[in-house]
Amino acid sequence: QVQLVESGGGLVQAGGSLRLSCVASGSILSLGTMGWYRQAPGRQRELVAAVGTANTRKYADSVKGRFTISRDNAKNTVYLQMNSLKPEDTAVSYCNTASLTAGVNSVLVSWGQGTQVTVSS
């Protein structure tokens, strides 16, 4: 199995920055696409950003130009640098990975426990 541990959430004023980190551990043979989702109260979980194994990236329109996703394959870690934060970015952010794992005969999709991001106006 794969465990994802997120860190870096917190409270910040509008215009500020936060950097989220997510470390994957477990019986990982190969990590595929890694991404960040978020869920605000009363709303569905949505994709914020994702990065593939060839460093191709995808961003939600609402965060383009403000957020940057990156990965360190040697550390099994994905980062999300969030700049120019807005109150509407307030949500629980979740790390997500797709991986090949020992003992599992399919691509395993894993989720972190979530980290709160709160942006005050």
Side-chain angles (χ1 to χ4, degrees):
Q1 301 301 313
V2 175
Q3 296 79 43
L4 301 179
V5 178
E6 301 136 334
S7 61
L11 172 64
V12 65
Q13 289 188 332
S17 299
L18 286 173
R19 188 192 195 209
L20 304 182
S21 300
C22 173
V23 181
S25 63
S27 303
I28 300 170
L29 300 177
S30 177
L31 270 177
T33 297
M34 306 178 77
W36 289 94
Y37 288 69
R38 66 186 180 188
Q39 187 167 18
R43 302 189 66 176
Q44 288 188 336
R45 190 173 297 188
E46 63 176 2
L47 175 68
V48 176
V51 56
T53 54
N55 275 323
T56 53
R57 295 172 172 84
K58 181 178 178 66
Y59 295 96
D61 288 342
S62 59
V63 307
K64 284 180 181 177
R66 300 188 297 124
F67 291 10
T68 301
I69 191 169
S70 61
R71 62 190 289 167
D72 185 333
N73 292 326
K75 296 180 179 179
N76 286 347
T77 301
V78 61
Y79 306 96
L80 185 67
Q81 178 67 44
M82 304 184 294
N83 299 328
S84 302
L85 282 161
K86 305 175 181 179
E88 50 264 43
D89 293 317
T90 295
V92 178
S93 293
Y94 296 92
C95 178
N96 169 273
T97 65
S99 63
L100 297 179
T101 308
V104 179
N105 293 323
S106 63
V107 176
L108 182 65
V109 177
S110 304
W111 292 92
Q113 79 284 358
T115 184
Q116 178 69 46
V117 173
T118 303
V119 184
S120 63
S121 57

